[in-house]
Amino acid sequence: MKVILSGGWSYGNIGDEAIAKSTIYLLKQYFPAEDLIICAYDPDNFYYHHKQKTILSVHNKVDKYRGITAQGVADVIKRPEKYDMKQIADLLDCHTLFIMGGGGYFNDRWETQFISRIIEIELAKSRGAKVAVIGQSIGPVTREINKKLLIKVMNQCDYINVRDLDSQRFLQSLLPNKKILCSIDTALIISDVYQQKNLKESVVNVMAAGYSKYTSIKGDLIPNYFINKLLGRILLKYYLYDIKTAIILRSIIKKKNVKIRFIMSTNWKFDLAFTKRLTYFLPKNSYEVIINPDIDTLCDYLTRGRVLISSKMHPIIISTSYNIDSIAISYNFKIDNFMNSIGKKQNCYRNDRIKVHEIIDKVCSLYYRSDPNPSKYINQGKESIYQMGKDLKELFEENDLKDIEQ
């Protein structure tokens, strides 16, 4: 028997490597004797963070063959060798547990990613593998052809455990007779994987990402990306976002005489350009910028800070895992869901509804919080992840028993 793990990592979003690291750790707890094969979009990038070799993901192949559409999925399943997917197709069989791991990429806003995940599940099931979907945010899915594909493949899955209530409700509305479980993001157990060094500094950590239109589980009222971007410019949303963020950081430095540490949890030029714009408004020697850390270094820097301000999800999850409070500047329903699940809804602000003075006061208050004990929400969240590991083990053993009987 073997386990094949695929997921939304090695795209340059370093926070997502926390999902990979935590999921690998989880699987090794429950499948210590089994072969574990990992798929990655960019194996070199994955190796940089984890020092583990991987095989090229289905998404890498789909991007190579740009012509694959929803209508072409059946041909990929029938002739995977035509699309350079023979390697992974040959690994999938009735002795395999295929796991589509966590992230927020299973939506049709990113078409090639969506098609890739459909292909993964279809291909695995066509070869007789057991299929589990874990730690996912799913949606929005707005086009009818994609909804039909989603319903078809999710009905075939042997185990589904999403990471937020919006995703669970959305899937349950499409599949009323299917068991859809809800846990929490797998990265919440990162503190069990990478041990905190307890080197607290007089630092407020900041993961600053440029403005993007807020996305709900229902998708955009106006589906065209360029029209939405133009509206954001006309309504000055980009400008106001920059100014409000800069005011918050300047005020915190002045009130607390602390250093701001910008930690880039992506290696994307867009986010780095935004961070550099913010530094123009800050006093010299009041900040530092950490660029392209590996996942362990990212965790290390996050554990040293006293509080985090982040417009990316996984720095918030990582900090939460280490019992460090965050102010979330949310661009997506998945961040709202996470903050609500840990009992911190009051510390979550949509990126187009930032309350400057309220955030400043909260950061200053949270800076001195010294409760060493994780909240019940963190403990319950971690327990739900380990329960998910047990569920996967039972699914695996069930498959094993069937093989013996046959």
Side-chain angles (χ1 to χ4, degrees), residues 35 43 51-52 76 91 122 137 139 182 191 216 237 290 301 303-304 314 320 331 337 350 397:
D35 292 331
K51 304 300 182 285
Q52 286 187 254
V76 177
L91 288 169
E122 288 259 40
S137 289
C182 182
S191 56
S216 74
K237 289 186 176 181
I290 308 300
Y301 277 120
T303 63
R304 293 193 216 168
H314 280 95
T320 299
Y331 67 94
N337 273 256
R350 273 182 53 158
E397 290 173 342

Side-chain angles (χ1 to χ4, degrees), residues 326-340:
S326 298
I327 298 295
I329 309 298
S330 174
Y331 67 94
N332 191 288
F333 72 91
K334 61 189 181 183
I335 297 180
D336 302 349
N337 273 256
F338 177 76
M339 293 299 285
N340 193 39

Side-chain angles (χ1 to χ4, degrees), residues 83 94 116 145 174 195 299-300 406:
Y83 303 93
C94 62
S116 301
I145 187 171
L174 298 178
Q195 299 299 313
C299 290
D300 182 47
Q406 291 171 358

Side-chain angles (χ1 to χ4, degrees), residues 19 117 189 211 225 279 282:
I19 303 177
R117 304 311 167 182
I189 64 168
Y211 177 82
Y225 169 78
T279 63
L282 305 182

Side-chain angles (χ1 to χ4, degrees), residues 154-371:
M154 296 308 271
N155 250 329
Q156 296 179 67
C157 292
D158 301 283
Y159 181 81
I160 303 172
N161 193 326
V162 295
R163 68 180 181 180
D164 60 74
L165 286 173
D166 274 348
S167 296
Q168 184 186 38
R169 292 179 188 126
F170 171 62
L171 272 186
Q172 208 72 76
S173 71
L174 298 178
L175 302 162
N177 299 317
K178 186 79 173 177
K179 186 176 182 180
I180 313 292
L181 300 172
C182 182
S183 180
I184 201 165
D185 193 289
T186 319
L188 191 64
I189 64 168
I190 191 69
S191 56
D192 298 344
V193 187
Y194 180 84
Q195 299 299 313
Q196 185 176 9
K197 296 179 180 178
N198 293 315
L199 298 172
K200 286 294 179 190
E201 300 171 342
S202 299
V203 167
V204 172
N205 284 325
V206 176
M207 174 51 234
Y211 177 82
S212 59
K213 185 179 180 298
Y214 180 86
T215 301
S216 74
I217 188 69
K218 295 179 180 179
D220 296 325
L221 291 175
I222 302 172
N224 187 285
Y225 169 78
F226 294 103
I227 292 176
N228 279 315
K229 191 168 184 177
L230 180 61
L231 284 172
R233 296 291 183 191
I234 292 171
L235 297 174
L236 302 178
K237 289 186 176 181
Y238 289 85
Y239 175 77
L240 290 171
Y241 179 77
D242 284 21
I243 293 299
K244 286 182 176 182
T245 306
I247 291 172
I248 288 168
L249 299 182
R250 279 183 64 92
S251 300
I252 291 168
I253 291 169
K254 184 177 179 180
K255 282 193 171 192
K256 292 298 170 191
N257 192 29
V258 299
K259 191 170 189 176
I260 298 294
R261 176 182 289 136
F262 293 99
I263 308 172
M264 303 309 301
S265 75
T266 72
N267 59 16
W268 302 337
K269 293 179 180 178
F270 176 66
D271 290 337
L272 182 57
F274 171 65
T275 298
K276 288 182 176 179
R277 287 201 303 275
L278 290 178
T279 63
Y280 296 152
F281 298 93
L282 305 182
K284 289 182 179 179
N285 303 319
S286 69
Y287 65 86
E288 63 176 327
V289 182
I290 308 300
I291 299 174
N292 199 29
D294 63 24
I295 183 58
D296 286 356
T297 305
L298 176 70
C299 290
D300 182 47
Y301 277 120
L302 288 171
T303 63
R304 293 193 216 168
R306 296 184 180 274
V307 63
L308 170 73
I309 304 171
S310 179
S311 43
K312 286 292 183 185
M313 182 170 175
H314 280 95
I316 297 168
I317 296 172
I318 293 168
S319 294
T320 299
S321 182
Y322 292 103
N323 197 29
I324 297 168
D325 279 308
S326 298
I327 298 295
I329 309 298
S330 174
Y331 67 94
N332 191 288
F333 72 91
K334 61 189 181 183
I335 297 180
D336 302 349
N337 273 256
F338 177 76
M339 293 299 285
N340 193 39
S341 72
I342 61 168
K344 299 290 183 179
K345 183 179 180 180
Q346 72 278 10
N347 291 345
C348 185
Y349 299 84
R350 273 182 53 158
N351 63 357
D352 54 359
R353 300 175 186 173
I354 295 174
K355 297 179 180 179
V356 172
H357 297 293
E358 193 173 303
I359 291 174
I360 293 167
D361 289 343
K362 281 188 179 178
V363 171
C364 292
S365 174
L366 294 172
Y367 185 84
Y368 290 111
R369 190 183 76 88
S370 59
D371 185 357

